Structures are given as C-alpha cells and as structure tokens.
Amino acid sequence: MPTMTDDTAARPTNRLAPVALILAILVPIAGAVLGHLTLRQIAQTGEPGRGMALAATIIGWVGTVAWFVFWGVFLSTLRGLTA
C-alpha cells in the first residue's frame, strides 16, 4: 500500500485557487485577475494549486475575450438591422 510521504501531500492547496477557477467560469474577468494574484501568491509561498490557478487565468482571459467578441458581434448586428 503506497504511503504519502511527499511534502506536498501534507500541505493543503492554496485557498484562492479553486475560488479563482469557479470565478473564471462564472465571471471570467474576475477569475483571470484572481488567477494572476493566486499565481503570484503561490510563487511566494510554495503552496500547491498552481495548475488550478493557471487554469483559472487561462479560462478567465479566454472567457473575457469571448465575451467582448460576442457583444461586439451582437451590437454590430443590431446596428445593421436598424440601418
């Protein structure tokens, strides 16, 4: 039976990492910003959770760009319908 003697097994994941990931899905810009802050905090403290924070950052920025593209296309379509 494997035992967990690894140093990271005993340390909990950074608390902001899952919050950033959830925010990245619900409010992309907030998730992206919190993901950046969490990555900086993890780099200073050495806590686990870097992958989750990185995923939150990427998902947040992709979601933010998609949001702006959606609204740009939507508004230009409306403008074309009213002209």
Side-chain angles (χ1 to χ4, degrees), residues 49-60:
R50 185 179 186 281
M52 220 182 305
L54 187 60
T57 304
I58 293 169
I59 292 169

Side-chain angles (χ1 to χ4, degrees), residues 5-63:
T5 57
D6 188 26
D7 184 37
T8 59
R11 296 185 327 190
T13 301
N14 182 294
R15 288 183 180 190
L16 291 179
V19 174
L21 189 56
I22 291 168
L23 272 179
I25 294 167
L26 299 176
V27 185
I29 188 73
V33 171
L34 188 59
H36 277 291
L37 294 173
T38 305
L39 283 171
R40 184 180 302 149
Q41 188 179 55
I42 288 172
Q44 291 174 350
T45 62
E47 292 175 300
R50 185 179 186 281
M52 220 182 305
L54 187 60
T57 304
I58 293 169
I59 292 169
W61 285 123
V62 168

